[in-house]
Amino acid sequence: MNTEVQFCQLERSKIAYLDFGQGPPLLLVHGFPLNRSMWDWQHPLSEHYRLLIPDLPGFGESSFSGTELALEETVKQIIQWLDAIEVEKVIFCGLSMGGYLGWRFWKDYHQRLGGLIACNTRAAGDNPTVLRARQIAAESVRQNGVAGLAEEMLPRLFASISHDRHPSRVAKVRQMILSSDPERVAQAQLAMAARPDATDWLSQIQVPMLFIAGQFDQITPSAEMQANCQCVPKARWVEIPESGHLSPLENPSAFNKALIDFKNWVI
Ligand code: MLT
């Protein structure tokens, strides 16, 4: 398994990524404000898929030279990177913010999608309370850095059972947040706030879809994901037991099984 990081220089960004494994290309897109190492527990899937695991522009080891990272722009950078490494079609698997990017990817580049996996995410846009909270959080990160954000988010990212069982995973996620660039974190908050409501798009999605929810997810509740799933013509819904918002690393064996089952269903 060659898990060495590679770099791809584009006009406006440099993408750090992993590319290894055998099978249909599976693009794993991380959540906010994390990086590609949140998918470390999915590396065994390389026996079933060619895994493409980038740091999004401005996160992890990827850089972005522009001034504003709207979700459309991030998706454009992903497409330019896929073009550069000559990958035409992918199964797009995004968690939370990665899922918001998935809706956008479908909207703008559906011909590049072989399947769509929405993990711990939602189709709806933000209500006014969440919008206001994002503006305050963006301002606070710009002024005070990311430490406060890490402590505010961690209790909500993991199920309480995971805080007890997997303290080293919680510590790893804390480190991911602390190492992120405050300005890019602020921009990502504002980009998520500006995203459209994708609920009306769901019935038009023609590629096979998988919804993966976390049993104890407080941020994107399982019931809301199940309701989203019912709107998509060809979709399955899986709830990962004993996990919160970060199901891939809270319960990797159940999560990975869901992705293998999806491949067997669609390929
Ligand atoms: C994420 O995990 O990517 C975020 O919780 C998404 C959000 O803030 O809506």
Side-chain angles (χ1 to χ4, degrees):
M1 190 155 63
N2 176 14
T3 55
E4 217 166 281
V5 64
Q6 303 183 54
F7 293 91
C8 178
Q9 184 66 55
L10 303 170
E11 207 178 309
R12 303 184 75 195
S13 60
K14 184 165 85 175
I15 304 294
Y17 66 101
L18 304 182
D19 178 357
F20 62 102
Q22 300 285 335
L26 175 68
L27 173 61
L28 297 174
V29 180
H30 63 78
F32 167 88
L34 307 178
N35 59 55
R36 68 175 192 271
S37 57
M38 66 149 279
W39 299 109
D40 283 358
W41 286 266
Q42 278 57 61
H43 289 191
L45 289 170
S46 59
E47 285 180 20
H48 305 268
Y49 289 103
R50 172 179 174 188
L51 297 180
L52 297 166
I53 316 180
D55 284 330
L56 291 172
F59 289 89
E61 294 180 86
S62 290
S63 57
F64 179 67
S65 62
T67 50
E68 196 226 327
L69 259 175
L71 296 188
E72 290 90 328
E73 181 60 39
T74 296
V75 168
K76 212 183 277 176
Q77 299 299 311
I78 294 175
I79 286 288
Q80 285 177 12
W81 161 62
L82 291 175
D83 287 345
I85 62 170
E86 297 181 355
V87 174
E88 176 58 29
K89 256 193 175 176
V90 293
I91 294 174
F92 187 111
C93 173
L95 180 128
S96 202
M97 178 179 76
Y100 307 156
L101 291 166
W103 308 131
R104 195 74 246 172
F105 194 100
W106 170 81
K107 186 82 181 150
D108 296 346
Y109 302 98
H110 62 269
Q111 74 284 3
R112 306 287 295 262
L113 267 187
L116 182 57
I117 305 175
C119 316
N120 303 85
T121 192
R122 62 162 50 89
D126 293 333
N127 64 40
T129 312
V130 175
L131 278 180
R132 183 77 196 115
R134 287 201 198 277
Q135 280 155 359
I136 293 169
E139 202 44 50
S140 161
V141 159
R142 279 183 169 135
Q143 281 178 12
N144 311 312
V146 288
L149 179 71
E151 295 323 310
E152 185 269 318
M153 283 191 81
L154 281 168
R156 296 189 301 124
L157 286 174
F158 288 90
S160 53
I161 197 173
S162 300
H163 282 276
D164 297 337
R165 278 187 189 165
H166 305 300
S168 63
R169 297 181 199 178
V170 177
K172 182 171 167 130
V173 169
R174 174 181 281 111
Q175 212 36 55
M176 281 185 228
I177 300 176
L178 292 178
S179 66
S180 56
D181 172 17
E183 179 53 30
R184 292 300 179 206
V185 169
Q187 289 175 2
Q189 273 289 14
L190 299 176
M192 288 191 285
R195 75 188 192 282
D197 188 326
T199 312
D200 287 346
W201 304 354
L202 295 174
S203 62
Q204 301 163 45
I205 296 177
Q206 293 302 331
V207 290
M209 266 207 79
L210 175 64
F211 287 79
I212 304 184
Q215 184 183 10
F216 302 121
D217 190 341
Q218 305 171 42
I219 298 177
T220 48
S222 183
E224 184 176 343
M225 290 203 74
Q226 193 170 19
N228 284 168
C229 177
Q230 282 160 2
C231 301
V232 178
K234 194 174 174 197
R236 290 182 173 184
W237 176 81
V238 175
E239 184 181 82
I240 304 299
E242 302 185 338
S243 81
H245 191 59
L246 296 181
S247 57
L249 56 91
E250 294 184 73
N251 190 344
S253 56
F255 185 91
N256 293 352
K257 181 180 179 308
L259 265 63
I260 295 165
D261 291 346
F262 182 72
K263 181 187 163 192
N264 293 335
W265 178 44
V266 299
I267 307 277

